[in-house]
Every structure is written in structure tokens, then in C-alpha cells.
Amino acid sequence: MNQRRKFLIVVAVALAAAILIPVIHHYQLRAAVNAYIAELKAKGEPMELAQVLPPPVLPEQNSADTFRRAAALFEADQSLLVTNSCSAMKMVAPGKAMICWQQSDARGYDATNSWEEVTAAVALNEKSFALLQQIIEKPDFDFQIKYERGFADFDFTNLNLAPLKRAALRLETASLCDLHRGDTASAIGNLRAMLALAKAIRDERFVISELVRIAIASIALTANWEILQAPNLTDGQLAALQRDWMSLEFIHPEENALAMEHVTGEITLAKWRSSNAQLEKYFELGKEARENMGFPDKGTAALATAKRKSEIFLWRYWWSYPDELRSLKGYEVLLNTMRLAETNGFFQNALSAQDAALDHLGISKLNSSFVSLFSGETDFHSMLSESIVTLAEVARKVMRVETAKRVTLTAIALKRYQLRHGNYPPDLNSLVPEFVSTVPLDPVDGRPLRYRQKADGTFLLYSVGENGRDDGGDPSPEKGVTSSSFNWQNPHALDWVWPQPASPEEVQKYYDEQAKKSK
């Protein structure tokens, strides 16, 4: 065999290897992912869209059109409800909140209005509030969401999330106005409408929808606190509020949302792999967002485009598969967190297990998907599993809202006891079974919520908070933490203490300090 022929054979073999090795590697990577998906299916994990779709809403129970009519009326309004919504339960010091409806004026974040101006603005939206209150009797929405599209070309405006939160904020302002006028019944109606909104989207099964539900519940809590300071409450009104709060679930709906995103994420991934255009669309959205925020992309268009095209090619055939496998395992960790919290009735152990498992997978060291999207610096080797970093924080948000819900329910029960017996109970056992079926437990550590009477006739009610340690009902920030937030559920607070009303002196001190900061 002559030298030339040997050379050609070597070249042919090298060329064949150069082609076959990447192709074989591609199929090996794909096989590893498919094997894990088969393993998940064998364990009973839902991996098909039909398995995670929400139950249908009967047409006669669907209040979606009622909400749309209310939202359209709100859109036509340009009063102070748009420019200066009033916040309730404004925290002025750790463990102390201002009774906003008792103040001489209505102060928002950007302006101060007279109560007459607030009353006039609320009156302009009377039809909208009446429509929202109709949802109390039928708290179910079906916005005809196209789950089969995945996220690649999903129109999130169909979820109506921004209008839902705006509606809750306006209901909050209306309830404060009602309380200032002495109309407690109307204030309770507006609060119940807020809770109905949070309940109505319990089966949308997207994490972003759950986050909006959490936001609405947090707004409702502040209105509920203000209502509990009213002098003319009845046991029947409070019992209705208890029932509404009890009907709100957060742990299982979050599990449903994660399962849906698990499946729709795979639908989206399949589209990204099948077409460069679908993935380019995702990056284009990020680019538009950065430009709107004043952060244009760096580098020349030609270089950036060439680099992006080569990365997409490598991602579609090789890089995406190990990342998909890690992402699938990350979703299992998140799902197991919610399941363990639901089974145990508390979050502390579940969150510790989640942190350890994500650290083992190497996910905890990654950027969040939002950081990468808005920075424009995408790491194609971790693009999928970065979403797990973002979603990992949601479990703590669910813990906070579940804690807020249980503390609120307990505060309502304590008020009912006081109305009936003239004072607060000596312990939480005294609420059973007249006002609650069992002693309320702390969703953080699973032990009873902490409670005791105080010598001044008030009470101390609290959860051990984010650190999972009982600090005796101290709402201050942890030692060494400087925080301007007085939020009763501040992650750095020693304990999450149900606020007591601030004195006039404490309110004035707060306003004086705010005035100094603004100079």
C-alpha cells in the first residue's frame, strides 16, 4: 500500500471519527435523559400534559367574565386609586402597625389625600367593586389558558395577573375607606372579594400565578388586620372571614404549579431544539427587556450574532441534554419539598432537605434565570437548570404565606373569643373547639403557634419565623442585620409577630423619621 493511500485512509478514518463521535455522543446524552424520564414515569410522576391539566370549570361557575368587566371599568378610571392607592397595616416599628383608617388623612407612597378624596374615588368605582363582590359566591376562573403551547410562545397577558393584583390593591383602599366611614360590613365584603380572587386562580397551575395569589393574600392580610381593630364587629362576620381564609390553600397548588411547569418546560424545550427561531425569540424578549431597562447589549451585532448562532447549534445537539437531566432532577427536588411540607405539616425539614439536594446537584451555585436573562450573559451549559435556582425560593414564599394565613386565622379566632367572653383566652387550647377545630400549628416548625396574654389586656401571637428558632416573640432583626424594613415577616426578623396597634406617639415618630429621610 503506497503512502498516498495510507494517508487517505487515515484522513477518512479521522473524518469518520470526527463525524461519528459527536453523533454517538448526542445519542448517548439523549438516551440518558430518556432513561431518567422513563424512571420518573415508572415512579408515577406526571410527565404528560393530560396528567397535569386542571379540572374543568363549569360554565355556570366561571366568574372570568365578571372579573373582566370589573377590570375594564377600572382601566377607564384615572382617579387616585391609580396614582395613590392606600396601604393598610403600615408597619411603623418592629411588631407595631399603624391603624390607617383611624388617621386624619390617607397617605400612600407618593401622595397624601383627604378621606373625602378617597371616598369620592371609591364611589367612582362602585360598579367595579360590586362586580368583584359577586365573585365571592363563585370563586372560579377559567381564562382558557393554552397550556399545550408551553412557554415558547405563551401569552402571559391571558392570565390577567396584573389586573388581579391591581384589583386587590383597590379593594384594600376601598376597605380602609369603609372602615374610616364606620361601615365595617362593606369593608368585610371588600376583603372577602380579595380572598375570592386568590381562591379563583388556585388552579391556573403556573408558579407566577401562585406568586400573585401569595401577593393578593398578603394584601388581604393587611386589610384583615385593620378590620380586627374596628369596634363594631360581629361574630358572624368574623366566622365568614375564617371560612374564607380556611378555603385558601397554598402548598398543594404550588405542587400542582411545579408539576405543570415541569411538563410545559419539556414542551418548550422540544420547540427550542426543533427550531432556532423559537430560541431566538426567547433571547429577543430578554434583549427587549434589557433595552427597556436601559441596559443595551454589549458587543458588535455581527460578532454577537455569530457567537449566538454557534452556541445555539452546540446547545441543541449536545449541551442541552446534561442540563435538561440536571433540571429534571431539580424539579423533583422542588416537588418533593412541597410534598414533604404537606405531609409533615411544616417546612423546616423540607427546606433543609431541598437546600442539601440542590447543593448536591450543583444547582445552588448557578445564577438564577432572571439574572442571566436580564444581564444578557447566558451560560448555555446551565440555561435550563438556572430556572430551578429561581423556583427554589418559592417554597419559602409559600411557607411565609401559609404562616400568615394561620396566624390571621388565629387572630380572628382570638377576636371571636374576646367578643364572646370579654377578654382574650389564657391559651390557644381555649379556642378549641368553639372557634377552631385544633390548636393552630406553626408552618415553620410544626409546633403550636406561640401565644400568651399580656398584662395590658392585649396578647402576643407569633411564629418562630425564618430562622426556625423561638426568640420569645422578639420582632427585631437578627443581631448584626441592618434593615429598614419593619415588615412583620421580614426574613431577618427573629420572630414573626402579629402586630399590635402603634400608639399615636409611635405613629408620629415614624412620620418624623420619614420626613428626615426625604430631605
Side-chain angles (χ1 to χ4, degrees), residues 8-9 51 69 72 95 165 172 188 201 226 242 264 273 311 360 364 371 400 426 428 466 469 486 515:
L8 290 174
I9 290 172
Q51 295 174 290
R69 292 200 302 273
K165 186 175 179 182
E172 178 188 30
I188 288 173
I201 57 171
E226 296 271 356
Q242 263 189 301
T264 51
R273 283 199 182 118
E311 287 175 324
H360 178 72
S364 57
V371 169
R400 289 179 203 133
L428 295 183
E466 197 100 355
R469 184 181 64 243
F486 297 143

Side-chain angles (χ1 to χ4, degrees), residues 33 85 102 109 127 215 219 221 244-245 398 405 463 515:
V33 171
S85 60
Q102 284 187 352
Y109 290 105
K127 290 182 179 178
I219 295 166
L221 177 147
D244 288 351
W245 278 106
V398 175
K405 167 191 159 183
S463 157

Side-chain angles (χ1 to χ4, degrees), residues 86-91 109 165 168-169 172 175 191 194-195 197-198 210-226 245 248 250 396-405 408 487-489 498-499:
C86 304
S87 58
M89 198 184 88
K90 188 174 292 182
M91 300 297 296
Y109 290 105
K165 186 175 179 182
L169 289 169
E172 178 188 30
S175 68
L191 170 56
M194 285 186 235
L195 297 172
L197 293 180
E210 287 305 303
L211 291 174
V212 170
R213 290 184 70 232
I214 289 171
I216 293 172
S218 299
I219 295 166
L221 177 147
T222 64
N224 203 131
W225 184 89
E226 296 271 356
W245 278 106
L248 287 184
F250 295 99
R396 286 179 168 81
K397 294 179 185 294
V398 175
M399 178 179 72
R400 289 179 203 133
V401 75
E402 186 64 28
T403 303
K405 167 191 159 183
T408 302
N487 177 13
W488 76 290
Q489 284 191 311
W498 180 251

Side-chain angles (χ1 to χ4, degrees), residues 54-125:
V57 176
L58 296 175
E60 61 270 21
Q61 293 297 316
N62 186 9
S63 294
D65 285 340
T66 301
F67 176 76
R68 289 191 186 98
R69 292 200 302 273
L73 290 173
F74 279 143
E75 285 297 320
D77 171 46
Q78 295 300 314
S79 70
L80 65 87
L81 295 186
V82 178
T83 60
N84 187 36
S85 60
C86 304
S87 58
M89 198 184 88
K90 188 174 292 182
M91 300 297 296
V92 302
K96 291 295 185 73
M98 179 195 309
I99 304 176
C100 294
W101 60 265
Q102 284 187 352
Q103 307 308 307
S104 59
D105 50 36
R107 304 191 188 191
Y109 290 105
D110 300 316
T112 298
N113 300 101
S114 68
W115 284 109
E116 288 76 14
E117 290 171 319
V118 176
T119 300
V122 169
L124 283 174
N125 290 271

